[in-house]
Amino acid sequence: MTANVNLDVRGLSCPEPVIRTKNALGTGQPALPLTVVADSFVAAENIRRLVTGMGFSCQTREDNSEFVITIDKEV
Amino acid sequence: MGILEKSKIIISGILVGLLGVLLVRFGNPANMGVCVACFVRDISGGLGFHRAEVVQYLRPEVSGFIIGAFIISMFSGEFRARGGSSPLLRFLIGMAVMIGALVFLGCPLRMVLRLAAGDFNAVIGLLGFIFGIFVGVQFLKRGFSLGRSQRIHNGNGIAIPGLALVLLILVIVAPAFIFFSASGPGFARAPFLISLGAGVLIGVLVQRSRLCQIGCFRDMMLIGDSHLLYGSLAIFAAALVGNLVLGYFNPGFVDQPVAHTAGLWNFIGLAVVGLGATLLGGCPIRQTILAGEGDTDAGMTFLGLLFGAAVAHNFGLAASPAGVSQAGQAGVLLSAVFLLVVGFAFTVPQISFVRKGGVTLDR
């Protein structure tokens, strides 16, 4: 896994975006920063809640009605 | 979890719970202030899709859920038409979910309202519900997916809100071909404007807060996230207080309103709902709200619920206070088998048949 992996969760039903993000972050040493692309408010909210709960920092950028979430180490 | 996020879902839950009790006070059937399964079943009867005379009324609450979600998602910029995630299967899963719900006599939201009124049969149902979600989570953990939806022309997203509006017009105009129960649960109804107003408000609340009765257990099992659980607990607590204040709290198994004591079938009925809704990605009210904000796959689920209700009553699958018929037992078991088949089929690598060279496997 290289840094800046784009995880595409667009169009997936609840809770698949969250599961895939969690799997990408894994339990070991995930390659950070990880960039996730989502296309619904709910998926973006859920991913933000998941990763902050896991102790990562995240920034969301809205781009043409899609959400680009950049997940990185806690600063 | 942010304190703001947490308070938003708790306040929404409290309001939904209170509205659920108040609608009973204003005339809806006991322990059925809000129930997507029962109300969609009533709508199915009101349109004459089934002829069970005691459950026929175009409940304005359901139109309210959809229109409330539609309006608020337009304002918040969340409305977007999308579709293409196994729509036909979602229709069929919606049918199965409805058959399960009508064997229990209630959607997961009514399950919470029944619990809050002291109906112990709903405790058995809750156990089945959790079991069904647990099974669904096993599929999700192994990669179950009904596939991605795509952005589609916004006109598609207006179809279900349009249907909700047509239903409202029909219930107001009341042409001869629309049925209105003269007795039974379908006759128990709050005044039109109160039903509609409460429905719109619930639609707004659920759209904004993402309240979901399966999400609360699913997310706990999958990722230990208690966010949605707070919402469901808030619905329960508010409805419990409301029932105690208004004297509706009546603990026990027997003589519960619009309920039966066949524990095994209460368990299996809601297990089917739990599994089906987990595969869909949301409980019946959540799917209804999504249908209002442009999700045409959820719209197909909604139509599946409507069709499933017609099937359930046409073939005598739906339970009654007397219990569950043999047809109902067969129907709910077949629904369970169908959902398990879907679960496995969409979890294992896909088999694609090609004209030459036999069968290939791909993900």
Side-chain angles (χ1 to χ4, degrees):
Chain A
M1 199 188 258
T2 53
N4 279 327
V5 173
N6 269 316
L7 176 63
D8 181 0
V9 298
R10 288 174 298 181
L12 293 171
S13 298
C14 252
E16 292 165 48
V18 171
I19 296 174
R20 293 191 186 199
T21 305
K22 189 165 186 261
N23 290 346
L25 291 168
T27 48
Q29 292 291 316
L32 295 170
L34 176 74
T35 306
V36 185
V37 189
D39 66 351
S40 80
F41 281 78
V42 180
E45 278 169 24
N46 291 345
I47 291 168
R48 275 201 299 272
R49 204 168 55 240
L50 170 83
V51 298
T52 50
M54 287 170 80
F56 294 95
S57 67
C58 77
Q59 286 187 314
T60 309
R61 175 165 60 83
E62 200 174 338
D63 181 17
N64 188 20
S65 75
E66 290 185 344
F67 302 88
V68 181
I69 305 157
T70 307
I71 302 163
D72 210 337
K73 290 187 183 71
E74 191 65 85
V75 272
Chain B
M1 193 192 323
I3 195 81
L4 191 71
E5 241 187 330
K6 198 185 269 192
S7 46
K8 185 162 83 173
I9 195 157
I10 290 173
I11 291 166
S12 300
I14 289 171
L15 290 171
V16 170
L18 289 178
L19 285 166
V21 175
L22 283 173
L23 281 167
V24 176
R25 174 73 186 74
F26 282 111
N28 275 6
N31 300 1
M32 203 195 283
V34 185
C35 173
V36 177
C38 316
F39 288 2
V40 169
R41 181 264 319 277
D42 293 349
I43 289 171
S44 183
L47 293 168
F49 294 169
H50 68 71
R51 301 299 163 98
E53 289 180 0
V54 290
V55 282
Q56 296 178 320
Y57 177 48
L58 302 183
R59 298 262 174 202
E61 289 90 345
V62 177
S63 291
F65 301 154
I66 294 169
I67 289 165
F70 174 68
I71 292 169
I72 196 72
S73 66
M74 279 287 196
F75 271 107
S76 68
E78 279 188 68
F79 180 89
R80 48 193 67 165
R82 51 205 189 268
S85 168
S86 306
L88 180 61
L89 273 163
R90 288 177 187 270
F91 179 93
L92 296 171
I93 297 169
M95 273 182 70
V97 164
M98 182 53 97
I99 290 166
L102 291 179
V103 161
F104 166 71
L105 289 174
C107 75
L109 186 53
R110 183 172 188 242
M111 172 193 76
V112 176
L113 296 173
R114 280 173 60 176
L115 287 168
D119 179 344
F120 293 160
N121 300 298
V123 178
I124 314 286
L126 172 66
L127 296 174
F129 187 57
I130 292 170
F131 175 73
I133 296 168
F134 175 79
V135 174
V137 163
Q138 304 317 305
F139 289 123
L140 284 171
K141 276 183 174 170
R142 286 162 180 76
F144 173 88
S145 177
L146 287 172
R148 291 177 195 268
S149 63
Q150 309 287 332
R151 292 293 303 275
I152 50 179
H153 190 291
N154 269 341
N156 293 284
I158 296 169
I160 294 284
L163 172 69
L165 191 62
V166 168
L167 290 173
L168 282 181
I169 292 166
L170 287 173
V171 78
I172 295 167
V173 176
F177 58 85
I178 294 299
F179 295 84
F180 290 83
S181 292
S183 64
F187 185 63
R189 41 193 185 241
F192 173 80
L193 283 177
I194 290 176
S195 288
L196 178 61
V200 169
L201 185 54
I202 290 169
V204 169
L205 289 167
V206 177
Q207 201 285 330
R208 294 312 304 147
S209 67
R210 333 295 191 198
L211 276 167
C212 178
Q213 308 315 308
I214 66 143
C216 71
F217 296 110
R218 178 198 67 206
D219 293 354
M220 282 298 289
M221 291 179 201
L222 265 174
I223 49 175
D225 180 7
S226 59
H227 179 70
L228 291 171
L229 188 62
Y230 281 100
S232 299
L233 287 172
I235 296 174
F236 172 77
L240 178 64
V241 170
N243 283 325
L244 286 167
V245 169
L246 292 173
Y248 296 155
F249 187 77
N250 170 33
F253 279 101
V254 289
D255 293 332
Q256 292 291 344
V258 200
H260 60 79
T261 55
L264 175 67
W265 300 103
N266 280 327
F267 184 96
I268 294 173
L270 275 190
V272 163
V273 174
L275 172 56
T278 305
L279 300 182
L280 289 168
C283 71
I285 193 157
R286 182 85 195 116
Q287 290 287 301
T288 306
I289 298 305
L290 286 169
E293 55 180 81
D295 185 336
T296 62
D297 295 316
M300 288 303 286
T301 301
F302 180 76
L303 295 177
L305 293 172
L306 194 63
F307 187 72
V311 166
H313 277 282
N314 192 53
F315 296 106
L317 311 183
S320 71
V324 184
S325 65
Q326 278 191 325
Q329 296 173 9
V332 77
L333 290 174
L334 276 173
S335 300
V337 170
F338 166 70
L339 293 176
L340 289 169
V341 169
V342 171
F344 282 109
F346 284 76
T347 302
V348 297
Q350 181 170 295
I351 297 171
S352 50
F353 300 97
V354 284
R355 281 174 65 100
K356 287 180 189 154
V359 172
T360 55
L361 289 174
D362 58 29
R363 254 335 264 195

